[in-house]
Amino acid sequence: MAEIKPFKGMRYNTFLAGKIGELCCPPYDIISEEERLGYIAENEYNVIRLELPKEGGDVYKTAGEVLDMWRNTGVLVHEIKPAVYIYEEEFNAYNKRSSVKGIIVRVKVEEFSKGVILPHEFTLSKAKADRFNLMKATNCNFSQIYALYMDEEHTTLKTIDRLSDRKPDQKFTDSDHVTHKLWIITEIEKLVNDFADRKLYIADGHHRYETALNYRNYCRENGISKEGDPQDYQMMYLVDMQHPGLVVFPTHRMVRDLESFDKDEVLKGCEEYFDIKKFTSVGNINSELAKQYKQGKKAFGFYCGKGEWYLLVLKDIEVMADVLPDLSEASQQLDVSVLHSLILEKTMGIDKENMANQINLTYTKFFEEAIMKVDKGEFQCSFILNPTRVTEIRDVAAAGEKMPQKSTYFYPKMITGMVMNDLNES
């Protein structure tokens, strides 16, 4: 099953580079150009220059040159001994302070067909090409893939808690009030052995995982590496699937530019499958959806502007077996499958290709944005969703299937820059 290894992580020498909080950044794909420039202005050694390069005629070549310079001048240094890195995030979610803790390790990449590492979402080609070019130029992972594992007895988490029962080796709190902690652990044998009979379920980082497979193959085909070399491994963050601090936020859908959009026609089309209730204030959307969520119902908030919204509750889940007969029950019963199939496609005429290309559909994790942009007239309506359950992610992946894009949003995102995986190091 999953093969994990310790590694000589590449980390910042903060005596030369500055405070760790000034050197890290959020995931590259959620950073605006203004934010990118702001990180560099605060500290020229910020990892954003490696993870999201924009300077020079060949941005990937520039990233490689910057990386070489920082290694040569001691800004970036490697661990003396192979280690496992315990990483914890403390954060605010749903009006309380929570935390999630796991381990950062090297994981041997395997084709999805082997059933060892399983995806749950579809990916976009453009993003994979960008990450592949960066790996070719740097031979590094600057950020981790986020994966989940099953451990009914929480044996690994108990070991992690024991090993991190001391002051962290690195710690800082970012502008979103997320506190990041890192422990460097060399007592590794038990943690490595724990994963010998486990599968891993990718939570976040599908593009980077598929890129790692492509890069491994590229290196072998071009004589850069052979089987068992570091290029066979990818840096991953592994978390207990039943960790009490695990949080998944919903991703809401906003509809724009439909030529024949008519609120009443949409509602009429929904009557066959949904119980419908009208509300005149958005203040109770989330609470009403939460009630349905607790009952295991499939429900959505259909927002039309000026405070007016409709609660849509699916009458009978069995209809999905007829609508998506070629998919497993796990995929059929996802909230996003119900919304996409019965409402967006069947009622509003937004097909799968349209969704993939975001012609009439835009996604947001922010409830406020889904409401505000309809009120401003930028969108015709929005659909407010409940979060996908972690067990649903597991079941879809186990069935060998993938969810529609933007089905999950694991919160908080992992920080980039506390530890990196230099594939030049064995």
Side-chain angles (χ1 to χ4, degrees):
M1 286 297 193
E3 182 184 331
I4 76 169
K5 292 176 65 174
F7 65 108
K8 295 178 182 178
M10 183 170 66
R11 296 188 297 116
Y12 277 106
N13 176 356
T14 54
F15 292 103
L16 291 179
K19 297 178 181 178
I20 188 64
E22 298 175 355
L23 301 167
C24 296
C25 71
Y28 73 97
D29 55 353
I30 62 171
I31 295 175
S32 68
E33 177 62 9
E34 182 181 1
E35 290 169 330
R36 190 187 74 86
L37 293 173
Y39 291 126
I40 296 172
E42 183 179 28
N43 192 313
E44 64 175 317
Y45 296 120
N46 191 285
V47 72
I48 196 70
R49 292 182 63 190
L50 305 176
E51 178 75 333
L52 188 62
K54 293 289 183 74
E55 288 80 21
D58 182 336
V59 297
Y60 306 110
K61 181 181 178 183
T62 299
E65 292 170 347
V66 170
L67 175 60
D68 287 341
M69 179 175 64
W70 289 358
R71 281 187 299 216
N72 292 336
T73 57
V75 169
L76 291 173
V77 294
H78 297 93
E79 222 70 68
I80 296 173
K81 291 183 177 181
V84 167
Y85 299 85
I86 295 176
Y87 174 52
E88 181 179 27
E89 293 176 287
E90 294 180 356
F91 56 95
N92 298 317
Y94 299 116
N95 300 314
K96 67 176 183 178
R97 192 74 174 167
S98 300
S99 71
V100 64
K101 185 188 292 185
I103 56 173
I104 297 173
V105 292
R106 276 183 179 173
V107 178
K108 186 176 183 181
V109 296
E110 304 276 9
E111 285 78 6
F112 292 140
S113 60
K114 292 186 177 180
V116 176
I117 298 173
L118 301 170
H120 82 268
E121 279 190 347
F122 286 99
T123 56
L124 299 171
S125 297
K126 182 178 179 181
K128 285 183 280 189
D130 166 63
R131 294 297 96 182
F132 181 71
N133 288 330
L134 184 62
M135 285 197 74
K136 282 203 300 182
T138 63
N139 200 36
C140 278
N141 307 143
F142 302 114
S143 55
Q144 308 87 10
I145 290 167
Y146 190 168
L148 306 174
Y149 61 87
M150 291 294 293
D151 180 10
E152 296 288 346
E153 302 299 322
H154 308 296
T155 53
T156 300
L157 186 56
K158 291 171 185 174
T159 302
I160 290 171
D161 284 337
R162 175 179 62 81
L163 294 173
S164 59
D165 187 21
R166 60 173 172 81
K167 183 179 177 181
D169 294 290
Q170 289 184 333
K171 175 182 175 181
F172 76 96
T173 301
D174 65 24
S175 58
D176 290 326
H177 309 293
V178 179
T179 298
H180 306 271
K181 302 177 183 178
L182 190 77
W183 291 264
I184 303 162
I185 304 298
T186 54
E187 186 183 329
I188 56 179
E189 185 175 357
K190 183 183 185 308
L191 288 172
V192 170
N193 292 339
D194 279 354
F195 287 84
D197 61 350
R198 288 180 185 161
K199 297 180 179 183
L200 300 179
Y201 302 82
I202 298 176
D204 199 359
H206 290 80
H207 295 103
R208 280 168 288 160
Y209 188 82
E210 292 185 27
T211 297
L213 282 169
N214 293 336
Y215 184 65
R216 178 203 66 184
N217 296 340
Y218 164 83
C219 289
R220 288 186 184 178
E221 291 164 4
N222 289 275
I224 298 169
S225 70
K226 60 184 185 301
E227 186 172 354
D229 283 351
Q231 286 78 5
D232 281 9
Y233 296 82
Q234 170 79 23
M235 182 169 63
M236 297 179 72
Y237 176 48
L238 310 181
V239 173
D240 189 327
M241 188 174 285
Q242 294 178 309
H243 193 293
L246 205 59
V247 171
V248 183
F249 284 159
T251 302
H252 311 299
R253 274 65 173 154
M254 303 185 293
V255 177
R256 66 177 187 278
D257 302 332
L258 279 181
E259 291 183 9
S260 57
F261 175 75
D262 184 309
K263 175 197 71 178
D264 293 327
E265 286 299 313
V266 174
L267 290 169
K268 184 177 179 181
C270 289
E271 286 177 353
E272 179 180 355
Y273 303 107
F274 296 88
D275 291 319
I276 303 172
K277 183 177 180 180
K278 180 179 179 179
F279 294 86
T280 56
S281 171
V282 298
N284 63 345
I285 291 184
N286 289 319
S287 61
E288 289 292 333
L289 287 177
K291 289 179 187 177
Q292 303 299 325
Y293 186 78
K294 290 178 181 177
Q295 296 174 32
K297 299 288 185 66
K298 306 299 174 184
F300 313 97
F302 174 43
Y303 184 65
C304 311
K306 298 180 181 179
E308 181 179 300
W309 72 280
Y310 296 81
L311 177 66
L312 311 177
V313 182
L314 186 65
K315 295 176 182 178
D316 185 1
I317 191 65
E318 296 302 320
V319 69
M320 293 303 296
D322 297 325
V323 175
L324 299 173
D326 297 329
L327 294 182
S328 67
E329 183 177 312
S331 289
Q332 291 170 0
Q333 298 190 4
L334 292 170
D335 285 34
V336 288
S337 296
V338 173
L339 174 65
H340 286 196
S341 300
L342 298 182
I343 301 179
L344 296 182
E345 290 189 63
K346 189 176 180 65
T347 303
M348 302 180 76
I350 304 173
D351 61 25
K352 290 181 175 63
E353 184 177 355
N354 185 313
M355 293 182 211
N357 294 319
Q358 299 186 35
I359 296 171
N360 296 109
L361 198 65
T362 299
Y363 306 91
T364 179
K365 64 180 183 293
F366 300 111
F367 168 77
E368 295 79 5
E369 182 180 17
I371 300 301
M372 177 188 67
K373 291 203 170 182
V374 174
D375 287 339
K376 286 185 173 181
E378 296 178 32
F379 289 83
Q380 294 160 312
C381 66
S382 59
F383 291 92
I384 309 302
L385 283 74
N386 277 317
T388 301
R389 301 175 194 271
V390 176
T391 52
E392 292 176 319
I393 297 168
R394 176 200 65 199
D395 293 344
V396 170
E401 296 171 346
K402 297 179 182 179
M403 297 180 180
Q405 293 167 5
K406 308 294 184 181
S407 295
T408 59
Y409 186 93
F410 282 85
Y411 183 83
K413 297 290 187 180
M414 294 169 291
I415 205 72
T416 298
M418 290 190 90
V419 62
M420 293 161 264
N421 182 25
D422 186 348
L423 296 176
N424 295 297
E425 291 287 318
S426 59

